[in-house]
Structure formats: C-alpha cells, structure tokens
C-alpha cells in the first residue's frame, strides 16, 4: 500500500500507546480547533439581549450549569462514547453513516450497483447478512421507496448545514478573537478596527488554501495545545482568585432555577449556550485521519477539562463583577488580566485561524463526497498533498466561501447574529447525526429497536430543545443558514434528480452487444489506429451516445474500451481492487469494458496514471483470461460472468494474481513489447516519455493460446503508440411536451448548472487535445 493511500485508511486495529499519544497530540490541531475556541463567544452570545447578568448570579450560574451538562451529554457521552463507534472502516461523518446504512439495507439511490462491489475489502458488514434475520425496521425501510428518498434528503440537509457552518464558523471565530481589541482601544477606534482586521485575516486565510494545510499543519497542534493550556491557566486563576465555590454551579438544580427565573428569555438564551458544542461533529467527521482511541484520549484528558475550567473561570470572575456598561462586555476577554491580555489576544487569533481551517477543509471534503453521490454539480478537485490522502482544494468553492464569510462579517457586525446563525447550523447537523446513528444501531448493529429509540429520544430531545431556541431567533440571524440550506438543497436535488433521469434514459436506450458486432457488415465500419475510451454510466450494453456516434461516422478505434467511472458506498477502494475489466464480444474484436470504482472519500487520479493503470489492467486481463480458458479450475471459483459476453475479473482474482506484475523482470520468450509515446501521438501531450511494458508471465496456457495472447498484447501496444482518444457525451436535457412546471424548472436549472459548472472532462482530468465530445439530447 502506498503512503498516500495508507494515510487515508487507518486500520481500525489497536495502535500502540506511543502511536495513540502521537495521534492524540496531532488531533488537537485538526479536530479540536473549532471546539477549543468556543469560550470566546458562548457567554457573549448568551447574554447578548435575552437575559441580564444580575447581582444574584442566578443567570451566570445557570448558564454555567447548562454549559457543563451540555458538554458532558453531547460531546462526551454521545459522540466520544457512542457515535465514534459507528465508523465506516475508520471513517466518520454524515456520509459514513449513510454508507453503512446503504450497505446493510437496500436503500441506496446510487445507480450501477453490482454484486461484485460487495467483494471489496472495505465493503464489510457488521455481521453476516445470511445469518441475521431482517428486522421489521429494515424490511420497512427497504419496502418503501419514498423512505429511500427521505433518507437521502436528510443526509443532504446535514450536508447543507455543514457547508453553511463553513461560512459562519470562520466569521464568528475570527471576529470573536479580534473583538478583544475593545479593551485595548477606544470605542471609536474599536468600531472601525475590528471589522477590517477580521476581513483581512479571513481573506488571507482563504488565499492560502491552494497551498494545502500540510505545509503549515505541523504548527496547528502546538497552537491549539498552547491555547487550551492558556484557557486552563486563566480559568484556574479566576476560580482561585475570585470564587473558589463556583463548582457548586455544576449542580443541575441551577439549570431549573435559571429557567424558573428567566422563563421565556432563558429558553431563548439556549441558542447562545449551544455554541459550546460547536466543533463536536468534527470529532466524528475527522475520525479517518486519526483513531477512536486517540480522539477519545485527547478529548477526555485535555480538551474537556480545559473547556470546563475556562467556562468556570469566566463564571467565577463574572460572579464578582456586575458593573458593565453593556452586556457585550460579558465575554471571554473581560476575565483576562490586563498584563496578559495582548499575548492572549494574539494566541486567540491564531487558534481561531486553526479552527476555521478545520471547518474549511471539512467543507471541501463533504462537497467532494456529495459530488461522488451525484448530488452536487461538477467542481474541480485539486489534491494538494502527494503524501497525505484526502487533503483537497476546490477553487470555486474556496472563493465563494471567502466572499460569503466576509459578507457575513460586514453584514452582521456582531457576535449575537453570527452566533444565532451558527448555532442553528450546528444543532441541525447534530440532529441528523442522532437520527442516522439510531438507524445504524438497529440496522447495522442489530440491537433492539427500543435501545435505538431510547438513544434517539434522549439525545434527540436535548438537541430539539436547543434547536427550538435557535429557530426562534429566525429574524435575528438564524434565517441565514436556512436560506443557504434552501439554495444548496435546490441545487443538489435538481442535479441529483436530473442525473438519475439521464441514467434511466441511457439504460432504456442502450443497444445490445450483438448490434455492435454486426456494425462492421452493415455499415462498412472502419477501424482506425489507437485506443478509444468511451465514457458511460452503464455497466452493461453499449451506450446510446456511442451508437449515435458510429451511425453518423462509421469508424472507431482498433481497441475500444467502454469505461464506467462509478461510486460505491465505501470510503475508499484499494488501488488493487479499483478496476473490473471484461471483454465485449470475441477476442478478435478488441473491445473491452472497464469499470473504475471510487469510494466517497477517494480523489480521482490524474489522466497519465489513470491511462497507464487502465492499459496495464487490460494487459493483465488478457493474460489471466487466457490462463483461465486453459486451466482446469472452475470458472465459478475464479471468474464471474456478470452479463452475456462480458466476463469481469473480481477483486479476489486480482489479489490472487498480484504476483503477475506488468513490470516483472521475468520475461516470457513469446512476447515482450515496449512502447514509448511518439511526438505525433494523438492527444498525448507530455514532456516526459511514457513507457508501458507487457510481459507474458509463466501462466498455464497452451501454445495456441500463448500466440493469441501475444497477438492481442501487440495490438494493444500498437494502439497505445498510435494514441488515445477520450470519447465523452455532451448532453442537453429537454422536457417532453406536456411536462409539469416543476419538471420544466428542474430541467432549466440543470442546464444552467451544466453550462456554468465544470464539464466531465475537467472532473475526469481528460487532456483537451485528446477529447472527443458526442452531442446527445435527453428527452425526459
């Protein structure tokens, strides 16, 4: 396994204590940046308008009690103890939960599903599906197709809110950190300094994204560690110096006392208290980069105690100080001694940048996952690190986020409105995670439904309380994440629904293999030198766009490969299992099918490595196919025939014959062909020459079959030397006459997105000089 892929797929096995300690330390900069800076704005948002800090201290002690129990119930018990166990091959997040459910129950809406996908190493189930009886919930989910759509919509709602959080978290984090200047500058200077400084820091942060976080990631963990130690020290100082008995406020009685006194306004202030959980979802979403034990260790031993001390310290200071000219001063910096205020301010700004970086990277990742589910328009994904898998950058999303972040900062100009908006986004994602986890408990873990219902009711009721308090702030900032979610949901649903309709159209209009084989006699078909890669979403048959192409221009390449790039409900696909290769028609026709499988966290390869691996896979298939035809081993044990005339090599076969390396030094005397790209090759623009070698290993083949293999490999090598053409469909969607208004609007929206977003050639990394587009009109 290469380094890049290995970092992306951490083994769920136990790590040594040294490895766990190192991973726990590294997780501070990636996972806990957002959660660690929440003390900057929680009290300030809570006391913005709804409640007043009175001399009785009932408000401040009640808020502290709410913060303590919220951090204990949600991040500590729900996430660290339960949700982190619901990982998908070590990966976490909304899509990981959805992927788990789709593998254990037939609820996926992804097309191109095959039995062969279940043989992937990462396609593992919690238990043997044959030995476990289907529960009533599972049967109910699989029976009603509307529930499949509802489940996907719920996942998309969570995705939209995560993207919305990517807009709001950098704004509120940096703004709250910079707002500490109000204690060092005059009121007039402060008003004109905070907003510009915040905007400059945000612009600088987004401008650095294309370099990748791996270049500065080594300083993230020390910054967050220093910030957590700083908060702990300040908290201990304030507790000892101002109110050593503040720990009594951790009694849940103070929560009821607080609500009894403040009533409606106390309930509304919960929208600010819930911000103490901001970043909890990152523990689950970033699980794949570390391990369960590392994240658990870091949170329980350092992050959780530091946060509790920070909030207790602020409450201790505020319990002895009540003479504030406005509630806006009830915040973090008021409890910082004057002598250390400037160092703390600088450290807070650095910590806010680290926390913002984590949510920005998470936004890139979840958009890439949405794109793999055909739920997001095509965008350009750039892999910023050659060594660390999963570090990506999406240019258009990056600049859009920057514009929106600066617009939020300039538009709201205060922590109250930003906090209301951010709180609604955060709590919505948590509600989605709670619901999906309850399904995982029943469908995947096969636990009693009552246990899952208890989990849903207990944590769901707590989060629903906070959700209602956030929703009531609709006119005071909470409208923003709802508006963003509605826009994103419209875009995602338009793209997904139309893409699925296009697939159904292709499925209904595909032609048979016999039709392709008979073309030569009917139309006088000409085979031109080179390799033609015909991209299609179909895993069987001949796509309609290719039939349209050859009937208008009766010629195609001597080697023809139907390529299907598909997503499977697993986080990653091992490189050795990525390709399923089969033959279309007899060997003399030189037509093949290649199914390229990616997981929802995989990043597509560049065209050079893809082309090389594809041709090597074809050569491997040719050799193994000849070996199997001559061997006495039963086909049912080695090869599986997925459709008439198409034999696909399964993942087990590739693993069993991994020793037959295309670059092996053992050469068979019958054939050894070495090809270098010629300058005049069609569409192969490269500064360095590429070499592809085909060796016929010591397989069990007859002399006649040996000769056929040599001829087929030589034909493949000659076609590779002549050049490769990438044949893609250029689609335009139309409505049938008499279609509904909603359908017409959906098609109009899809065509608008298709014209203004990246084309399939950019996503598939096809070189422009080798691209051949075939026009296709879809009438839906």
């Amino acid at each position: 396994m290469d380094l890049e892929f290995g970092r992306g797929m951490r083994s769920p096995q136990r790590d040594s204590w040294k490895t766990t300690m190192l991973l726990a330390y590294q997780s501070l900069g990636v996972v806990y940046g957002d959660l660690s800076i929440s003390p900057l704005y929680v009290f300030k948002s809570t006391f913005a308008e709804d409640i007043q800090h009175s001399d009785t201290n009932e408000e401040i002690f009640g808020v502290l009690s709410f913060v303590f129990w919220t951090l204990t119930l949600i991040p500590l018990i729900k996430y660290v103890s339960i949700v982190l166990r619901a990982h998908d091959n070590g990966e976490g997040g909304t899509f990981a939960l959805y992927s788990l459910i789709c593998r254990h129950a037939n609820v996926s809406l992804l097309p191109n599903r095959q039995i062969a996908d279940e043989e992937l190493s990462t396609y593992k189930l919690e238990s043997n599906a044959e030995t476990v009886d289907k529960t009533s919930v599972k049967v109910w989910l699989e029976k009603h197709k509307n529930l499949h759509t509802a489940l996907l919509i719920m996942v998309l709602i969570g995705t939209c809110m995560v993207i919305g959080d990517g807009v709001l978290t950098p704004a509120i984090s940096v703004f709250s950190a910079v707002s500490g200047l109000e204690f060092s500058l005059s009121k007039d200077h402060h008003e004109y300094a905070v907003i510009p400084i915040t905007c400059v820091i945000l612009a600088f942060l987004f401008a650095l994204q294309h370099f990748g976080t791996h270049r500065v990631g080594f300083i993230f963990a020390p910054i967050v560690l220093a910030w957590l130690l700083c908060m702990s020290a300040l908290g201990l100082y304030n507790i000892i110096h101002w109110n050593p008995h503040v720990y009594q406020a951790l009694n849940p009685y103070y929560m009821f006392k607080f609500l009894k006194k403040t009533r409606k306004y106390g309930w509304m202030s919960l929208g600010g208290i819930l911000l103490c959980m901001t970043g909890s979802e990152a523990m689950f979403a970033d699980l794949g980069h570390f391990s369960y034990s590392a994240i658990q260790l870091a949170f329980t031993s350092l992050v959780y105690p530091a946060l509790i001390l920070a909030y207790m310290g602020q409450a201790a200071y505020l319990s002895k100080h009540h003479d504030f000219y406005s509630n806006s001063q009830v915040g973090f910096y008021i409890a910082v001694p004057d002598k250390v205020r400037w160092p703390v301010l600088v450290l807070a700004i650095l910590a806010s940048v680290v926390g913002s970086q984590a949510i920005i990277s998470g936004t890139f990742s979840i958009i890439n996952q949405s794109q793999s589910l055909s739920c997001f328009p095509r965008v350009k994904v750039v892999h910023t690190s050659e060594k660390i898998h999963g570090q990506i950058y999406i240019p258009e999303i990056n600049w859009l986020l920057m514009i929106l972040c600066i617009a939020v900062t300039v538009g709201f100009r205060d922590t109250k409105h930003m906090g209301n908006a951010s709180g609604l986004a955060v709590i919505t994602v948590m509600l989605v995670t709670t619901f999906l986890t309850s399904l995982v408990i029943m469908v995947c873990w096969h636990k009693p439904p009552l246990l899952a219902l208890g989990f849903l009711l207990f944590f769901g009721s707590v989060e629903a309380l906070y959700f209602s308090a956030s929703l009531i702030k609709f006119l005071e900032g909470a409208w923003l994440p709802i508006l963003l979610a509605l826009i994103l949901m419209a875009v995602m649903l338009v793209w997904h629904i139309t893409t699925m309709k296009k697939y159904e159209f292709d499925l209904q209009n595909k032609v048979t293999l016999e039709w392709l084989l008979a073309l030569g006699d009917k139309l006088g078909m000409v085979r031109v030198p080179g390799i033609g890669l015909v991209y299609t979403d179909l895993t069987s048959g001949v796509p309609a766009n290719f039939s349209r192409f050859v009937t208008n221009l009766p010629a195609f390449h001597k080697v023809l490969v139907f390529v299907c790039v598909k997503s499977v409900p697993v986080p990653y696909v091992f490189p050795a299992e990525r390709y399923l290769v089969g033959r279309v028609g007899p060997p003399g026709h030189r037509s093949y099918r290649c199914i390229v499988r990616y997981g929802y966290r995989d990043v597509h390869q560049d065209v050079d490595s893809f082309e090389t691996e594809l041709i090597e896979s074809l050569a491997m298939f040719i050799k193994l196919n000849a070996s199997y035809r001559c061997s006495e081993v039963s086909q049912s044990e080695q090869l599986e025939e997925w459709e008439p005339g198409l034999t696909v090599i399964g993942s087990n076969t590739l693993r069993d014959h991994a020793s037959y390396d295309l670059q092996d030094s053992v050469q068979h005397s019958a054939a050894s062909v070495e090809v270098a790209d010629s300058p005049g090759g069609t569409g192969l623009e490269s500064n360095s020459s590429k070499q592809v070698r085909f060796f016929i290993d010591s397989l069990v083949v007859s002399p006649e079959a040996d000769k056929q293999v040599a001829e087929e490999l030589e034909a493949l090598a000659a076609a590779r030397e002549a050049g490769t053409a990438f044949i893609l469909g250029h689609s335009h969607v139309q409505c049938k006459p008499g279609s509904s208004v909603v359908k017409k609007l959906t098609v109009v929206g899809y065509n608008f997105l298709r014209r203004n977003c990246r084309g399939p050639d950019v996503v598939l990394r096809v070189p422009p000089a080798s691209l051949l587009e075939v026009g296709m009109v879809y009438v839906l």
Side-chain angles (χ1 to χ4, degrees):
M1 185 188 303
D2 56 58
L3 178 61
E4 175 185 339
F5 199 81
R7 283 294 299 271
M9 291 200 61
R10 288 200 49 77
S11 172
Q13 299 176 355
R14 286 186 177 273
D15 296 314
S16 66
W17 68 270
K18 291 183 179 179
T19 304
T20 302
M21 291 288 289
L22 178 61
L23 289 173
Y25 168 73
Q26 292 174 340
S27 70
L28 294 176
V30 177
V31 178
Y32 295 111
D34 191 10
L35 185 61
S36 66
I37 59 177
S38 58
L40 287 174
Y41 46 78
V42 169
F43 280 8
K44 195 169 186 177
S45 299
T46 305
F47 287 92
E49 279 186 7
D50 299 320
I51 55 177
Q52 302 292 324
H53 177 42
S54 65
D55 294 338
T56 61
N57 290 325
E58 291 182 351
E59 294 84 3
I60 192 65
F61 288 160
V63 170
L64 176 61
S65 186
F66 264 107
V67 168
F68 172 76
W69 287 106
T70 301
L71 284 173
T72 302
L73 290 176
I74 304 301
L76 182 62
I77 297 179
K78 175 192 166 183
Y79 279 95
V80 173
S81 302
I82 302 174
V83 175
L84 287 183
R85 300 178 186 274
H87 60 81
D88 181 11
N89 293 281
E91 292 296 327
T94 305
F95 281 98
L97 294 172
Y98 182 66
S99 173
L100 272 177
I101 295 169
C102 288
R103 293 210 301 273
H104 288 79
N106 186 22
V107 296
S108 176
L109 295 178
L110 282 176
N112 303 335
R113 284 177 292 172
Q114 295 175 288
I115 300 177
D117 298 336
E118 299 179 9
E119 296 184 357
L120 290 168
S121 300
T122 50
Y123 198 107
K124 62 180 182 181
L125 304 178
E126 297 293 332
S127 57
N128 191 348
E130 296 179 357
T131 60
V132 177
D133 296 332
K134 287 190 176 183
T135 63
S136 57
V137 176
K138 183 177 179 180
V139 173
W140 182 61
L141 280 175
E142 293 179 341
K143 182 179 179 181
H144 297 84
K145 298 298 181 183
N146 291 336
L147 294 178
H148 304 178
T149 305
L151 185 62
L152 179 62
I153 289 176
M154 176 168 290
V155 172
L156 294 183
I157 290 174
T159 301
C160 294
M161 287 300 181
V162 170
I163 299 173
D165 199 22
V167 172
L168 298 165
T169 293
I172 189 175
S173 300
V174 178
F175 179 83
S176 299
V178 176
S179 64
L181 290 171
E182 68 179 317
F183 297 99
S184 303
L185 300 175
S186 64
K187 186 175 181 180
D188 294 336
H189 289 91
H190 166 256
E191 291 179 354
Y192 294 103
V194 173
I195 299 298
I197 292 174
T198 301
C199 293
V200 169
I201 293 175
L202 288 173
F204 180 74
L205 174 63
F206 284 100
L208 291 178
Q209 292 302 310
H210 72 280
F211 292 109
T213 57
H214 64 285
R215 300 184 187 275
V216 292
F218 67 94
I219 65 172
F220 282 2
I223 289 174
V224 176
L225 177 61
W227 172 246
L228 289 171
L229 294 177
C230 173
M231 286 196 306
S232 301
L234 289 172
L236 282 172
Y237 169 79
N238 285 321
I239 292 171
I240 296 171
H241 189 264
W242 295 111
N243 190 351
H245 301 288
V246 72
Y247 67 89
Q248 296 176 355
L250 304 183
N251 190 329
Y253 168 73
Y254 283 89
M255 291 192 294
F256 297 102
K257 194 175 181 181
F258 167 77
L259 292 176
K260 183 179 180 180
K261 179 180 179 180
T262 56
R263 298 184 182 274
K264 174 185 175 182
Y265 296 103
W267 166 63
M268 294 174 64
S269 70
L270 295 180
I273 295 174
L274 74 85
L275 294 175
C276 69
M277 301 184 288
T278 301
S280 300
E281 187 73 21
M283 288 192 289
F284 186 44
D286 294 324
L287 180 62
H289 296 290
F290 303 99
S291 65
Y292 170 71
S293 56
I295 291 179
Q296 185 183 47
L297 176 65
F299 184 79
T300 55
S301 63
L302 181 59
V303 179
Y304 179 75
L307 290 173
I308 298 301
L309 286 174
Y311 288 115
M312 289 178 65
Q314 291 183 60
Y317 179 89
L318 293 171
S319 66
K320 299 299 181 180
H321 296 80
H322 306 89
D323 52 340
F324 303 121
Y325 64 82
S326 71
N327 274 356
S328 64
Q329 284 197 312
V330 181
F332 176 80
Y333 288 105
I334 193 67
V336 177
D338 294 337
K339 294 181 180 180
V340 296
R341 187 163 288 157
W342 276 104
V344 171
L345 175 65
V346 173
L347 189 57
I349 292 175
L350 291 175
S352 68
V353 169
V354 173
S356 301
Q357 176 60 62
I359 190 64
I360 293 170
S361 299
T363 303
F364 291 157
S365 178
I366 203 165
I367 287 177
N368 183 52
Q369 296 170 36
S370 302
Q371 189 177 226
S372 69
L373 286 178
S374 300
C375 293
F376 202 86
R378 290 182 288 261
V379 290
K380 183 180 181 180
V381 179
V382 179
H383 208 168
T384 58
S385 175
E386 296 179 355
K387 296 182 179 180
I388 303 176
H389 187 90
Q391 290 211 351
I392 59 175
Y393 165 69
I394 305 177
E396 46 265 64
I397 299 299
N398 180 66
W399 302 121
L400 183 60
L401 286 177
M402 184 191 75
I403 294 171
L404 291 175
C405 275
I406 293 176
V408 167
T409 304
V410 175
F412 283 157
R413 306 178 72 88
D414 61 32
T415 308
K416 172 192 170 184
H417 290 83
M418 294 183 193
N420 293 337
S422 179
L424 184 62
V426 168
I427 200 64
T428 304
V429 177
M430 289 184 174
L431 278 169
V432 171
T433 299
T434 300
F435 180 79
L436 293 178
T437 304
S438 64
L439 285 180
V440 168
I441 292 173
M442 285 186 294
V443 176
C444 305
W445 295 351
H446 307 288
K447 300 297 182 182
L450 285 178
L451 184 64
L453 183 62
F455 174 87
L456 178 63
L457 290 178
F458 180 76
F459 293 106
S461 60
V462 174
E463 291 163 356
L465 177 65
Y466 284 114
F467 179 79
S468 63
S470 292
L471 201 59
I472 203 68
K473 303 290 187 66
F474 179 82
L475 297 178
E476 299 175 9
W479 59 267
L480 181 59
I482 296 176
L483 178 63
L484 290 174
L486 288 176
I487 295 173
L488 287 169
M489 277 293 294
V491 169
M492 288 179 162
L493 289 176
V494 163
W495 190 266
H496 179 75
I497 292 172
T498 310
T499 302
M500 294 301 102
K501 293 295 183 182
K502 285 176 60 181
Y503 174 76
E504 294 174 3
F505 182 91
D506 283 334
L507 202 60
Q508 295 170 359
N509 291 274
K510 68 178 182 179
V511 296
T512 62
L513 302 175
E514 289 77 11
W515 178 89
L516 177 63
L517 297 176
L519 279 179
D521 299 332
K522 294 181 179 179
L523 299 178
M525 194 66 61
V526 178
R527 303 293 292 270
V528 298
I531 299 176
L533 302 182
V534 182
Y535 282 84
T536 175
D537 291 331
L538 301 177
T539 56
S540 63
V542 178
N545 60 349
F546 182 73
S547 64
R548 179 185 178 89
F549 170 71
V550 295
T551 50
N552 288 277
L553 181 65
F556 56 89
H557 298 80
K558 288 187 176 180
V559 175
L560 191 65
V561 185
F562 293 99
V563 180
C564 173
V565 180
K566 57 177 285 189
S567 294
V568 288
V570 296
Y572 302 100
V573 175
F574 285 108
E577 300 176 323
R578 192 173 303 283
Y579 298 92
L580 295 179
V581 185
R583 196 187 297 279
V584 179
H589 198 265
R590 305 288 189 262
S591 297
Y592 309 92
R593 185 181 306 282
C594 180
I595 299 172
V596 189
R597 302 178 290 185
Y598 288 97
Y600 55 83
R601 281 191 180 270
D602 277 324
V603 179
H604 289 204
Q605 304 153 278
D606 63 87
V607 67
D608 290 338
S609 62
F610 171 74
E611 186 180 342
T612 301
E613 288 184 13
L614 178 61
I615 294 173
E616 289 177 351
S617 299
L618 290 175
M620 173 73 77
F621 167 76
I622 292 169
K623 292 183 292 183
L624 294 180
N625 188 251
S627 171
Y628 291 139
R629 286 202 304 267
C630 300
S631 66
E632 296 179 355
V633 181
S634 170
Q635 270 194 345
S636 62
E637 297 178 2
Q638 301 291 343
L639 293 176
E640 298 187 37
E641 193 162 313
W642 304 110
E643 64 171 325
L646 176 62
T647 304
V648 180
I649 299 179
S651 56
N652 292 331
T653 308
L654 288 175
R655 285 197 299 270
D656 294 341
H657 293 271
S659 59
Y660 297 117
D661 193 347
L662 296 178
Q663 303 284 345
D664 202 306
S665 59
V666 181
Q667 303 181 21
H668 195 280
S669 59
S672 177
V673 183
E674 183 173 321
V675 181
D677 288 343
S678 60
T682 305
L684 298 174
E685 307 294 337
S686 179
N687 294 327
S688 60
S689 61
K690 292 177 288 186
Q691 293 185 341
V692 181
R693 297 180 179 180
F694 306 128
F695 296 117
I696 303 194
D697 304 308
S698 315
L699 297 176
V700 184
V701 295
S702 64
E704 182 180 354
D706 200 357
K707 183 178 179 181
Q708 292 177 357
V709 171
E711 291 177 354
E712 195 166 358
L713 290 177
E714 288 173 357
L716 180 61
R720 174 68 176 83
E721 185 177 9
T724 304
F726 297 80
I727 305 172
L728 275 69
H730 184 80
S731 62
H732 179 75
V733 182
Q734 295 180 351
C735 284
K736 293 179 180 177
S739 298
S740 64
V741 176
V742 174
K743 191 173 184 179
K744 290 179 180 178
L745 290 176
T746 301
V747 169
V748 170
Y750 177 83
N751 286 326
F752 174 81
L753 293 171
R754 180 187 57 80
R755 288 193 299 267
N756 292 279
C757 295
R758 303 280 185 171
D761 55 318
V762 176
V763 177
L764 298 171
R765 303 170 188 260
V766 174
S770 303
L771 176 63
L772 178 61
E773 291 188 301
V774 180
M776 185 72 186
V777 177
Y778 289 84
V779 181
L780 304 180

